[in-house]
């Protein structure tokens, strides 16, 4: 994804083997166009999308930089995902790099291409559980090295963590 110079828009370009995802993601953005937790779709083509450029910090970056993540953020993410579900979608692939917190402390979720998958995705529920079981505890470190987060993600993808 690239910011379009001197605008508040970004262009997301898809490689030839993934052009079908551009159409799918554009359709999903049309479904959630009235939900403020998601970027607005301005244009779409066979291999690109033009959406809001979201200036913010991902939850992944919050963890690696030690920027506190409040319970309000977790609650806003739940609301955003519930609103997408009310539109008939099945939010999937919701992870630390797809959730941003803006300077105004607003939550934005990007990369919604998998929101029509039929399988149950527990990724957000697992992240939320980790937030309440570990992160929220006073003694838990609020700054975690990137290599550790990436290692945890690899173990999670291999179903070695639960």
């Amino acid at each position: 994804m690239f910011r379009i110079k001197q605008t508040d828009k970004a262009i997301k370009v898809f490689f030839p083997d993934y052009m079908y995802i551009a159409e799918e993601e554009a359709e999903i953005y049309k479904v959630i166009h009235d939900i403020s937790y998601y970027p607005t779709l301005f244009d779409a083509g066979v291999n690109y999308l033009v959406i809001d450029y979201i200036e913010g910090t991902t939850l992944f970056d919050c963890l690696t930089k030690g920027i506190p993540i409040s319970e309000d953020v977790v609650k806003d993410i739940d609301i955003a995902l519930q609103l997408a579900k009310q539109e008939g979608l099945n939010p999937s692939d919701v992870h630390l790099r797809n959730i941003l917190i803006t300077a105004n402390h607003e939550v934005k979720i990007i990369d919604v291409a998998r929101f029509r998958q039929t399988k149950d995705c527990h990724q957000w529920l697992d992240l939320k559980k980790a937030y309440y079981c570990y992160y929220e505890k006073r003694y838990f470190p609020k700054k975690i090295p990137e290599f550790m987060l990436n290692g945890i993600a690899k173990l999670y993808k291999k179903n070695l963590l639960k």
Side-chain angles (χ1 to χ4, degrees):
M1 188 163 342
F2 306 96
R3 185 175 189 171
I4 300 172
K5 286 184 179 181
Q6 299 173 348
T7 73
D8 290 330
K9 295 181 177 85
I11 186 164
K12 183 175 181 179
V13 180
F14 296 81
F15 289 110
D17 289 347
Y18 299 98
M19 288 177 14
Y20 67 96
I21 296 174
E23 181 180 351
E24 178 68 13
E25 193 164 0
E27 292 302 315
I28 293 166
Y29 276 123
K30 289 175 186 174
V31 170
I32 56 176
H33 73 278
D34 286 332
I35 304 173
S36 65
Y37 293 102
Y38 302 95
T40 299
L41 175 71
F42 295 101
D43 193 17
V46 293
N47 71 332
Y48 73 91
L49 303 174
V50 177
I51 59 175
D52 287 321
Y53 175 77
I54 308 296
E55 185 83 40
T57 306
T58 66
L59 292 189
F60 184 90
D61 287 337
C62 287
L63 289 172
T64 61
K65 295 175 182 176
I67 300 168
I69 300 168
S70 72
E71 186 177 12
D72 287 341
V73 167
V74 174
K75 289 177 180 178
D76 281 349
I77 296 164
D78 274 341
I79 292 168
L81 299 177
Q82 189 58 43
L83 290 170
K85 286 178 185 177
Q86 289 174 5
E87 295 299 326
L89 299 172
N90 181 25
S92 299
D93 196 33
V94 179
H95 56 76
L96 298 174
R97 287 186 170 102
N98 286 351
I99 304 166
L100 293 104
I101 304 171
T102 69
N104 297 333
H105 306 287
E106 296 173 324
V107 167
K108 297 288 183 175
I109 299 175
I110 59 171
D111 196 7
V112 298
R114 292 190 179 101
F115 273 34
R116 284 192 174 156
Q117 286 188 23
T118 55
K119 70 173 187 155
D120 284 337
C121 178
H122 298 278
Q123 200 163 8
W124 169 245
L125 295 176
D126 292 338
L127 285 169
K128 186 169 72 168
K129 182 178 178 182
Y131 178 88
Y132 287 112
C133 288
Y134 303 107
Y135 182 85
E136 172 174 80
K137 304 298 185 232
R138 190 173 42 88
Y139 57 82
F140 189 83
K142 303 306 181 239
K143 185 174 182 180
I144 302 169
E146 187 173 335
F147 80 90
M148 283 183 107
L149 290 176
N150 288 331
I152 292 167
K154 284 181 184 177
L155 292 172
Y156 183 84
K157 281 186 179 183
K158 293 180 180 183
N159 288 318
L160 297 173
L161 293 178
K162 269 295 169 180

